PDB file of all heavy atoms in Angstrom:
ATOM      1  N   LEU A   1       0.819  -1.218  -0.003  1.00 97.00           N
ATOM      2  CA  LEU A   1       0.000   0.004   0.011  1.00 97.00           C
ATOM      3  C   LEU A   1       0.880   1.268   0.021  1.00 97.00           C
ATOM      4  O   LEU A   1       0.488   2.267  -0.582  1.00 97.00           O
ATOM      5  CB  LEU A   1      -0.957  -0.023   1.226  1.00 97.00           C
ATOM      6  CG  LEU A   1      -2.053   1.039   1.228  1.00 97.00           C
ATOM      7  CD1 LEU A   1      -2.951   0.922  -0.016  1.00 97.00           C
ATOM      8  CD2 LEU A   1      -2.929   0.871   2.483  1.00 97.00           C
ATOM      9  N   VAL A   2       2.012   1.205   0.630  1.00 98.00           N
ATOM     10  CA  VAL A   2       2.874   2.376   0.660  1.00 98.00           C
ATOM     11  C   VAL A   2       3.274   2.765  -0.784  1.00 98.00           C
ATOM     12  O   VAL A   2       3.371   3.972  -1.097  1.00 98.00           O
ATOM     13  CB  VAL A   2       4.117   2.136   1.562  1.00 98.00           C
ATOM     14  CG1 VAL A   2       5.014   1.027   0.983  1.00 98.00           C
ATOM     15  CG2 VAL A   2       4.920   3.413   1.761  1.00 98.00           C
ATOM     16  N   GLU A   3       3.482   1.784  -1.626  1.00 98.00           N
ATOM     17  CA  GLU A   3       3.879   2.094  -3.030  1.00 98.00           C
ATOM     18  C   GLU A   3       2.628   2.595  -3.785  1.00 98.00           C
ATOM     19  O   GLU A   3       2.748   3.491  -4.669  1.00 98.00           O
ATOM     20  CB  GLU A   3       4.422   0.826  -3.692  1.00 98.00           C
ATOM     21  CG  GLU A   3       5.721   0.389  -3.096  1.00 98.00           C
ATOM     22  CD  GLU A   3       6.278  -0.883  -3.753  1.00 98.00           C
ATOM     23  OE1 GLU A   3       5.907  -1.179  -4.917  1.00 98.00           O
ATOM     24  OE2 GLU A   3       7.041  -1.625  -3.092  1.00 98.00           O
ATOM     25  N   LEU A   4       1.458   2.098  -3.455  1.00 98.00           N
ATOM     26  CA  LEU A   4       0.236   2.594  -4.146  1.00 98.00           C
ATOM     27  C   LEU A   4      -0.016   4.066  -3.795  1.00 98.00           C
ATOM     28  O   LEU A   4      -0.446   4.839  -4.631  1.00 98.00           O
ATOM     29  CB  LEU A   4      -0.945   1.748  -3.772  1.00 98.00           C
ATOM     30  CG  LEU A   4      -0.953   0.291  -4.232  1.00 98.00           C
ATOM     31  CD1 LEU A   4      -2.221  -0.412  -3.771  1.00 98.00           C
ATOM     32  CD2 LEU A   4      -0.795   0.186  -5.723  1.00 98.00           C
ATOM     33  N   TYR A   5       0.279   4.422  -2.529  1.00 97.00           N
ATOM     34  CA  TYR A   5       0.125   5.821  -2.129  1.00 97.00           C
ATOM     35  C   TYR A   5       1.097   6.714  -2.846  1.00 97.00           C
ATOM     36  O   TYR A   5       0.801   7.861  -3.244  1.00 97.00           O
ATOM     37  CB  TYR A   5       0.220   5.984  -0.627  1.00 97.00           C
ATOM     38  CG  TYR A   5      -1.011   5.566   0.118  1.00 97.00           C
ATOM     39  CD1 TYR A   5      -0.965   4.690   1.196  1.00 97.00           C
ATOM     40  CD2 TYR A   5      -2.280   6.073  -0.221  1.00 97.00           C
ATOM     41  CE1 TYR A   5      -2.109   4.318   1.891  1.00 97.00           C
ATOM     42  CE2 TYR A   5      -3.429   5.687   0.450  1.00 97.00           C
ATOM     43  CZ  TYR A   5      -3.331   4.839   1.512  1.00 97.00           C
ATOM     44  OH  TYR A   5      -4.476   4.447   2.210  1.00 97.00           O
ATOM     45  N   ILE A   6       2.326   6.225  -3.011  1.00 98.00           N
ATOM     46  CA  ILE A   6       3.324   7.022  -3.781  1.00 98.00           C
ATOM     47  C   ILE A   6       2.816   7.213  -5.193  1.00 98.00           C
ATOM     48  O   ILE A   6       2.845   8.340  -5.745  1.00 98.00           O
ATOM     49  CB  ILE A   6       4.685   6.270  -3.744  1.00 98.00           C
ATOM     50  CG1 ILE A   6       5.315   6.291  -2.401  1.00 98.00           C
ATOM     51  CG2 ILE A   6       5.645   6.926  -4.774  1.00 98.00           C
ATOM     52  CD1 ILE A   6       6.566   5.401  -2.263  1.00 98.00           C
ATOM     53  N   MET A   7       2.307   6.156  -5.799  1.00 98.00           N
ATOM     54  CA  MET A   7       1.788   6.251  -7.144  1.00 98.00           C
ATOM     55  C   MET A   7       0.594   7.197  -7.242  1.00 98.00           C
ATOM     56  O   MET A   7       0.486   8.006  -8.177  1.00 98.00           O
ATOM     57  CB  MET A   7       1.399   4.898  -7.674  1.00 98.00           C
ATOM     58  CG  MET A   7       2.576   3.998  -8.095  1.00 98.00           C
ATOM     59  SD  MET A   7       3.465   4.704  -9.550  1.00 98.00           S
ATOM     60  CE  MET A   7       2.189   4.614 -10.808  1.00 98.00           C
ATOM     61  N   TYR A   8      -0.271   7.132  -6.259  1.00 97.00           N
ATOM     62  CA  TYR A   8      -1.446   8.016  -6.268  1.00 97.00           C
ATOM     63  C   TYR A   8      -1.032   9.456  -6.167  1.00 97.00           C
ATOM     64  O   TYR A   8      -1.595  10.349  -6.826  1.00 97.00           O
ATOM     65  CB  TYR A   8      -2.443   7.678  -5.188  1.00 97.00           C
ATOM     66  CG  TYR A   8      -3.646   8.616  -5.241  1.00 97.00           C
ATOM     67  CD1 TYR A   8      -4.654   8.449  -6.211  1.00 97.00           C
ATOM     68  CD2 TYR A   8      -3.755   9.711  -4.342  1.00 97.00           C
ATOM     69  CE1 TYR A   8      -5.703   9.317  -6.268  1.00 97.00           C
ATOM     70  CE2 TYR A   8      -4.785  10.574  -4.447  1.00 97.00           C
ATOM     71  CZ  TYR A   8      -5.786  10.392  -5.397  1.00 97.00           C
ATOM     72  OH  TYR A   8      -6.830  11.265  -5.508  1.00 97.00           O
ATOM     73  N   GLY A   9      -0.049   9.736  -5.311  1.00 97.00           N
ATOM     74  CA  GLY A   9       0.445  11.129  -5.224  1.00 97.00           C
ATOM     75  C   GLY A   9       0.970  11.636  -6.555  1.00 97.00           C
ATOM     76  O   GLY A   9       0.678  12.765  -6.923  1.00 97.00           O
ATOM     77  N   GLU A  10       1.656  10.775  -7.256  1.00 97.00           N
ATOM     78  CA  GLU A  10       2.192  11.199  -8.607  1.00 97.00           C
ATOM     79  C   GLU A  10       1.038  11.395  -9.571  1.00 97.00           C
ATOM     80  O   GLU A  10       1.026  12.398 -10.302  1.00 97.00           O
ATOM     81  CB  GLU A  10       3.153  10.127  -9.133  1.00 97.00           C
ATOM     82  CG  GLU A  10       4.403   9.968  -8.312  1.00 97.00           C
ATOM     83  CD  GLU A  10       5.317  11.155  -8.337  1.00 97.00           C
ATOM     84  OE1 GLU A  10       5.168  12.024  -9.233  1.00 97.00           O
ATOM     85  OE2 GLU A  10       6.175  11.296  -7.437  1.00 97.00           O
ATOM     86  N   VAL A  11       0.067  10.478  -9.588  1.00 98.00           N
ATOM     87  CA  VAL A  11      -1.105  10.611 -10.486  1.00 98.00           C
ATOM     88  C   VAL A  11      -1.879  11.862 -10.184  1.00 98.00           C
ATOM     89  O   VAL A  11      -2.296  12.575 -11.097  1.00 98.00           O
ATOM     90  CB  VAL A  11      -1.977   9.351 -10.358  1.00 98.00           C
ATOM     91  CG1 VAL A  11      -3.330   9.593 -10.995  1.00 98.00           C
ATOM     92  CG2 VAL A  11      -1.277   8.137 -10.971  1.00 98.00           C
ATOM     93  N   ALA A  12      -2.102  12.123  -8.920  1.00 97.00           N
ATOM     94  CA  ALA A  12      -2.892  13.325  -8.530  1.00 97.00           C
ATOM     95  C   ALA A  12      -2.244  14.600  -9.025  1.00 97.00           C
ATOM     96  O   ALA A  12      -2.933  15.504  -9.580  1.00 97.00           O
ATOM     97  CB  ALA A  12      -3.113  13.368  -7.012  1.00 97.00           C
ATOM     98  N   ARG A  13      -0.913  14.679  -8.849  1.00 97.00           N
ATOM     99  CA  ARG A  13      -0.214  15.902  -9.336  1.00 97.00           C
ATOM    100  C   ARG A  13      -0.272  16.043 -10.863  1.00 97.00           C
ATOM    101  O   ARG A  13      -0.500  17.118 -11.412  1.00 97.00           O
ATOM    102  CB  ARG A  13       1.204  15.823  -8.860  1.00 97.00           C
ATOM    103  CG  ARG A  13       1.396  16.286  -7.385  1.00 97.00           C
ATOM    104  CD  ARG A  13       2.858  16.371  -7.034  1.00 97.00           C
ATOM    105  NE  ARG A  13       3.447  15.062  -6.812  1.00 97.00           N
ATOM    106  CZ  ARG A  13       3.463  14.396  -5.649  1.00 97.00           C
ATOM    107  NH1 ARG A  13       2.817  14.918  -4.619  1.00 97.00           N
ATOM    108  NH2 ARG A  13       4.032  13.210  -5.573  1.00 97.00           N
ATOM    109  N   LEU A  14      -0.115  14.899 -11.541  1.00 97.00           N
ATOM    110  CA  LEU A  14      -0.115  14.944 -12.987  1.00 97.00           C
ATOM    111  C   LEU A  14      -1.536  15.314 -13.529  1.00 97.00           C
ATOM    112  O   LEU A  14      -1.647  16.096 -14.460  1.00 97.00           O
ATOM    113  CB  LEU A  14       0.292  13.570 -13.555  1.00 97.00           C
ATOM    114  CG  LEU A  14       1.795  13.205 -13.384  1.00 97.00           C
ATOM    115  CD1 LEU A  14       1.968  11.732 -13.669  1.00 97.00           C
ATOM    116  CD2 LEU A  14       2.631  14.074 -14.325  1.00 97.00           C
ATOM    117  N   LEU A  15      -2.550  14.799 -12.890  1.00 97.00           N
ATOM    118  CA  LEU A  15      -3.911  15.152 -13.358  1.00 97.00           C
ATOM    119  C   LEU A  15      -4.236  16.586 -13.064  1.00 97.00           C
ATOM    120  O   LEU A  15      -4.865  17.280 -13.885  1.00 97.00           O
ATOM    121  CB  LEU A  15      -4.928  14.210 -12.656  1.00 97.00           C
ATOM    122  CG  LEU A  15      -4.901  12.735 -13.095  1.00 97.00           C
ATOM    123  CD1 LEU A  15      -5.851  11.923 -12.275  1.00 97.00           C
ATOM    124  CD2 LEU A  15      -5.185  12.605 -14.606  1.00 97.00           C
ATOM    125  N   ALA A  16      -3.757  17.103 -11.926  1.00 96.00           N
ATOM    126  CA  ALA A  16      -3.980  18.514 -11.632  1.00 96.00           C
ATOM    127  C   ALA A  16      -3.321  19.421 -12.682  1.00 96.00           C
ATOM    128  O   ALA A  16      -3.924  20.415 -13.117  1.00 96.00           O
ATOM    129  CB  ALA A  16      -3.462  18.850 -10.248  1.00 96.00           C
ATOM    130  N   GLN A  17      -2.131  19.058 -13.087  1.00 96.00           N
ATOM    131  CA  GLN A  17      -1.418  19.821 -14.094  1.00 96.00           C
ATOM    132  C   GLN A  17      -2.150  19.779 -15.442  1.00 96.00           C
ATOM    133  O   GLN A  17      -2.053  20.735 -16.229  1.00 96.00           O
ATOM    134  CB  GLN A  17      -0.019  19.271 -14.264  1.00 96.00           C
ATOM    135  CG  GLN A  17       0.875  19.476 -13.078  1.00 96.00           C
ATOM    136  CD  GLN A  17       2.178  18.702 -13.134  1.00 96.00           C
ATOM    137  OE1 GLN A  17       2.474  18.083 -14.172  1.00 96.00           O
ATOM    138  NE2 GLN A  17       2.938  18.666 -12.051  1.00 96.00           N
ATOM    139  N   ARG A  18      -2.900  18.704 -15.693  1.00 95.00           N
ATOM    140  CA  ARG A  18      -3.628  18.566 -16.984  1.00 95.00           C
ATOM    141  C   ARG A  18      -5.053  19.068 -16.894  1.00 95.00           C
ATOM    142  O   ARG A  18      -5.832  18.901 -17.839  1.00 95.00           O
ATOM    143  CB  ARG A  18      -3.583  17.082 -17.375  1.00 95.00           C
ATOM    144  CG  ARG A  18      -2.194  16.499 -17.514  1.00 95.00           C
ATOM    145  CD  ARG A  18      -1.510  16.958 -18.804  1.00 95.00           C
ATOM    146  NE  ARG A  18      -2.079  16.333 -19.953  1.00 95.00           N
ATOM    147  CZ  ARG A  18      -1.713  15.147 -20.478  1.00 95.00           C
ATOM    148  NH1 ARG A  18      -0.731  14.503 -19.884  1.00 95.00           N
ATOM    149  NH2 ARG A  18      -2.315  14.705 -21.551  1.00 95.00           N
ATOM    150  N   GLY A  19      -5.426  19.700 -15.763  1.00 95.00           N
ATOM    151  CA  GLY A  19      -6.774  20.272 -15.621  1.00 95.00           C
ATOM    152  C   GLY A  19      -7.848  19.292 -15.292  1.00 95.00           C
ATOM    153  O   GLY A  19      -9.035  19.587 -15.479  1.00 95.00           O
ATOM    154  N   VAL A  20      -7.506  18.134 -14.714  1.00 97.00           N
ATOM    155  CA  VAL A  20      -8.497  17.133 -14.298  1.00 97.00           C
ATOM    156  C   VAL A  20      -8.743  17.295 -12.807  1.00 97.00           C
ATOM    157  O   VAL A  20      -7.815  17.213 -12.024  1.00 97.00           O
ATOM    158  CB  VAL A  20      -8.043  15.706 -14.639  1.00 97.00           C
ATOM    159  CG1 VAL A  20      -9.124  14.702 -14.246  1.00 97.00           C
ATOM    160  CG2 VAL A  20      -7.718  15.578 -16.139  1.00 97.00           C
ATOM    161  N   ARG A  21      -9.986  17.475 -12.389  1.00 96.00           N
ATOM    162  CA  ARG A  21     -10.341  17.718 -11.040  1.00 96.00           C
ATOM    163  C   ARG A  21     -10.729  16.365 -10.386  1.00 96.00           C
ATOM    164  O   ARG A  21     -11.819  15.842 -10.634  1.00 96.00           O
ATOM    165  CB  ARG A  21     -11.493  18.714 -10.902  1.00 96.00           C
ATOM    166  CG  ARG A  21     -11.182  20.103 -11.432  1.00 96.00           C
ATOM    167  CD  ARG A  21     -12.298  21.062 -11.166  1.00 96.00           C
ATOM    168  NE  ARG A  21     -13.526  20.675 -11.886  1.00 96.00           N
ATOM    169  CZ  ARG A  21     -13.844  21.060 -13.119  1.00 96.00           C
ATOM    170  NH1 ARG A  21     -13.032  21.812 -13.777  1.00 96.00           N
ATOM    171  NH2 ARG A  21     -14.946  20.667 -13.672  1.00 96.00           N
ATOM    172  N   VAL A  22      -9.896  15.846  -9.524  1.00 97.00           N
ATOM    173  CA  VAL A  22     -10.210  14.560  -8.830  1.00 97.00           C
ATOM    174  C   VAL A  22     -11.079  14.893  -7.632  1.00 97.00           C
ATOM    175  O   VAL A  22     -10.632  15.500  -6.690  1.00 97.00           O
ATOM    176  CB  VAL A  22      -8.930  13.880  -8.376  1.00 97.00           C
ATOM    177  CG1 VAL A  22      -9.271  12.562  -7.656  1.00 97.00           C
ATOM    178  CG2 VAL A  22      -7.991  13.600  -9.589  1.00 97.00           C
ATOM    179  N   VAL A  23     -12.346  14.443  -7.658  1.00 96.00           N
ATOM    180  CA  VAL A  23     -13.273  14.745  -6.561  1.00 96.00           C
ATOM    181  C   VAL A  23     -13.588  13.544  -5.719  1.00 96.00           C
ATOM    182  O   VAL A  23     -14.128  13.672  -4.625  1.00 96.00           O
ATOM    183  CB  VAL A  23     -14.605  15.368  -7.133  1.00 96.00           C
ATOM    184  CG1 VAL A  23     -14.240  16.711  -7.762  1.00 96.00           C
ATOM    185  CG2 VAL A  23     -15.220  14.429  -8.149  1.00 96.00           C
ATOM    186  N   ARG A  24     -13.300  12.350  -6.176  1.00 97.00           N
ATOM    187  CA  ARG A  24     -13.447  11.119  -5.445  1.00 97.00           C
ATOM    188  C   ARG A  24     -12.324  10.172  -5.804  1.00 97.00           C
ATOM    189  O   ARG A  24     -11.819  10.239  -6.922  1.00 97.00           O
ATOM    190  CB  ARG A  24     -14.786  10.391  -5.659  1.00 97.00           C
ATOM    191  CG  ARG A  24     -16.055  11.253  -5.436  1.00 97.00           C
ATOM    192  CD  ARG A  24     -16.293  11.564  -3.987  1.00 97.00           C
ATOM    193  NE  ARG A  24     -17.598  12.177  -3.811  1.00 97.00           N
ATOM    194  CZ  ARG A  24     -17.813  13.502  -4.024  1.00 97.00           C
ATOM    195  NH1 ARG A  24     -16.839  14.297  -4.335  1.00 97.00           N
ATOM    196  NH2 ARG A  24     -19.040  14.006  -3.842  1.00 97.00           N
ATOM    197  N   ASN A  25     -11.887   9.302  -4.880  1.00 97.00           N
ATOM    198  CA  ASN A  25     -10.841   8.337  -5.237  1.00 97.00           C
ATOM    199  C   ASN A  25     -10.916   7.088  -4.419  1.00 97.00           C
ATOM    200  O   ASN A  25     -11.526   7.045  -3.361  1.00 97.00           O
ATOM    201  CB  ASN A  25      -9.459   9.026  -5.027  1.00 97.00           C
ATOM    202  CG  ASN A  25      -9.162   9.263  -3.568  1.00 97.00           C
ATOM    203  OD1 ASN A  25      -8.836   8.344  -2.823  1.00 97.00           O
ATOM    204  ND2 ASN A  25      -9.281  10.517  -3.122  1.00 97.00           N
TER     205      ASN A  25
END
């Protein structure tokens, strides 16, 4: 799970930069 959280953090930042609003996860 620790690796999944690292990946989610990266995904969240990348999506924010691309204008995607993550409202649920």
Side-chain angles (χ1 to χ4, degrees):
L1 192 56
V2 65
E3 295 178 24
L4 295 180
Y5 281 130
I6 291 172
M7 283 295 296
Y8 180 76
E10 296 294 342
V11 166
R13 280 186 284 273
L14 289 166
L15 291 176
Q17 293 168 7
R18 302 285 289 271
V20 182
R21 298 185 296 271
V22 180
V23 295
R24 303 290 189 276
N25 69 75

